[in-house]
Amino acid sequence: MAASPRIRNALTLFSARDCVVCHRVRLVLAAKGVTYELVPVDPGNPPEDLVDLNPYHSVPTLVDRDLVLYAASVVSEYLDERYPHPPLMPVDPLSRARLRLAMLRLEHDWVPHVQAIQNGNKAQADAGRKRLKELLIAALPLFKASKFFLNPEMSLADCAIAPIIWRLPSLGIVLPKEAKLIEDYGMRIFRNPAYLRSLTPEEKALRELPQ
């Protein structure tokens, strides 16, 4: 069965209600000020439209008329090119490559630990918590290098990192005092109205912003 005409006629995002990679795409959309239709998904019971559209039945999945995209990295870069203002990647090839490599490291090294904490058994969650904390502390020099992550302006890399930083309290990760600049970095993004628009009700409940 083909996806419903309503989905084919509007920019539509299939997204879990609390998912670090789905949040990444919602933050890109919010930063661009793009209007779209959000379809909340229970990953354990994907809706028929998603099953028809995506052979992996995974989220995030973006539908833009006849185009169907999945994988957060692919969707994010498409949105940055499809809606070029404000740009979320630097102009020069070296900086773009550096940010792409950083995002690849996040996908391979950081995100699996977030998912292990959220969905694994106690041993997996404890190991994920320990390793993610180590990765964050090891990345301190990168957070010191610029106002945003490896870039003077907000980029797609920040859209990937900020959802992880947002979840630290709910993941049971308390950073040492010397890592306060990571929290300061997060707050610069969290106080942006676009960031608040990117949150689902479930994600808003994960932490409180200080007044």
Side-chain angles (χ1 to χ4, degrees), residues 23-34 73 75-92 95-100 103 148-160 189 192 194:
H23 191 179
R24 171 182 177 179
V25 172
R26 283 186 268 110
L27 182 50
V28 174
L29 285 160
K32 298 284 185 178
V34 176
S73 57
V75 175
S76 298
E77 291 222 17
Y78 169 75
L79 290 170
D80 191 43
E81 295 174 358
R82 174 77 171 80
Y83 303 97
H85 301 289
L88 292 177
M89 285 292 275
V91 174
D92 66 287
S95 297
R96 292 170 76 90
R98 185 181 292 119
L99 283 177
R100 285 192 175 105
M103 289 186 285
F148 293 97
F149 197 77
L150 296 175
N151 204 49
E153 305 292 337
M154 184 171 169
S155 74
L156 292 181
D158 299 293
C159 293
I189 298 175
N192 188 307

Side-chain angles (χ1 to χ4, degrees), residues 61-137:
T61 293
L62 183 80
V63 183
D64 190 0
R65 298 186 182 276
D66 292 329
L67 178 66
V68 179
L69 297 174
Y70 33 88
S73 57
V74 175
V75 175
S76 298
E77 291 222 17
Y78 169 75
L79 290 170
D80 191 43
E81 295 174 358
R82 174 77 171 80
Y83 303 97
H85 301 289
L88 292 177
M89 285 292 275
V91 174
D92 66 287
L94 179 62
S95 297
R96 292 170 76 90
R98 185 181 292 119
L99 283 177
R100 285 192 175 105
L101 189 59
M103 289 186 285
L104 186 66
R105 293 288 301 272
L106 284 170
E107 291 173 18
H108 286 263
D109 297 346
W110 295 34
V111 170
H113 296 306
V114 174
Q115 295 169 336
I117 298 167
Q118 292 178 321
N119 305 317
N121 58 36
K122 185 179 185 303
Q124 292 168 331
D126 287 345
R129 198 172 286 114
K130 178 176 183 293
R131 184 58 184 143
L132 182 57
K133 184 174 180 177
E134 290 171 349
L135 288 167
L136 283 159
I137 293 171

Side-chain angles (χ1 to χ4, degrees), residues 1-9 14 49 52-53 63:
M1 181 183 295
S4 69
R6 174 181 57 81
I7 287 174
R8 289 294 193 180
N9 290 330
F14 291 85
D49 278 335
D52 291 336
L53 290 164
V63 183

